[in-house]
Amino acid sequence: MSIVVVSLTDSTDPIEINIGATDTLQFVAQVSGAFASTYSKYFCPHLPHAKTLKQNETWPNTTNYPEGTEPNPYAAGKTYTFSWTPDGVKQPDLTSTPGTIHVDGGTIGNS
């Protein structure tokens, strides 16, 4: 068994990980930011779909999971891609200035 430790840095590059049948997984935030995943069911505890982590925080927490996630033979041999957005990095599709959203009341179903 080996622990795959992923350091979450100030990079916004996608994180790709290949897991073996007896591997465990652990994320360590070198900087604070937001983690996102779509692979929650393959890991125990389930990976969060979206979670903010503080600088030097480890997920899953080392008190309850000192070795990281539990090994899962069903997760083995696959490549998983996660995203990490460090604090201070502009999120895609967001504007930096406030604006006004106009909603048309419309008439639904009338012709």
Side-chain angles (χ1 to χ4, degrees):
M1 177 171 88
S2 67
I3 300 176
V4 177
V5 178
V6 179
S7 293
L8 303 172
T9 65
D10 58 358
S11 172
T12 58
D13 292 340
I15 302 161
E16 291 190 353
I17 302 166
N18 193 303
I19 300 291
T22 61
D23 290 345
T24 62
L25 182 59
Q26 193 172 66
F27 294 94
V28 179
Q30 303 297 317
V31 296
S32 59
F35 171 84
S37 166
T38 58
Y39 304 106
S40 67
K41 67 181 179 180
Y42 294 111
F43 301 94
C44 182
H46 294 303
L47 267 70
H49 288 292
K51 178 165 181 62
T52 57
L53 296 173
K54 298 175 190 160
Q55 184 176 13
N56 298 320
E57 185 176 357
T58 299
W59 187 94
N61 72 62
T62 53
T63 303
N64 296 332
Y65 299 93
E67 302 296 319
T69 61
E70 295 176 10
N72 181 350
Y74 298 107
K78 297 180 178 91
T79 299
Y80 299 96
T81 304
F82 307 104
S83 68
W84 173 250
T85 305
D87 285 351
V89 173
K90 184 178 174 184
Q91 298 276 338
D93 301 322
L94 295 179
T95 61
S96 59
T97 57
T100 303
I101 298 174
H102 298 277
V103 179
D104 183 4
T107 51
I108 299 174
N110 295 340
S111 53

